[in-house]
Amino acid sequence: DVHSFPTRRSSDLLIFFASIGLSANFTKLRQGGIGLIIFLIAISTFIVVQNFVGISLATLLGIDPLIGLIAGS
């Protein structure tokens, strides 16, 4: 049973996911084909919608829209 501090865990997760991103290369991306392109378009759309909702709700609640953008992201 391994116990660690929350800050250590978040640092470990950051290092892990950054190393996955660094291992990506264009050959693997090309193998993804049209499915990967559709996935990237869908994810990009959801990111824009999520940020729009965050900004809109912050504005409706009388909060700085930048706070809504940060919370939405």
Side-chain angles (χ1 to χ4, degrees), residues 5-30:
F5 295 105
T7 55
R8 169 73 193 263
R9 182 174 183 269
S10 61
S11 297
D12 290 344
L13 287 172
L14 180 64
I15 292 168
F16 173 73
F17 287 113
S19 66
I20 289 174
L22 292 174
S23 69
N25 59 36
F26 287 112
T27 305
K28 289 183 182 179
L29 290 175
R30 275 188 264 145

Side-chain angles (χ1 to χ4, degrees), residues 46 52 62:
F46 284 127
F52 178 74

Side-chain angles (χ1 to χ4, degrees), residues 25-45:
N25 59 36
F26 287 112
T27 305
K28 289 183 182 179
L29 290 175
R30 275 188 264 145
Q31 289 174 354
I34 191 72
L36 181 63
I37 292 171
I38 292 171
F39 177 72
L40 290 175
I41 290 170
I43 293 301
S44 299
T45 303

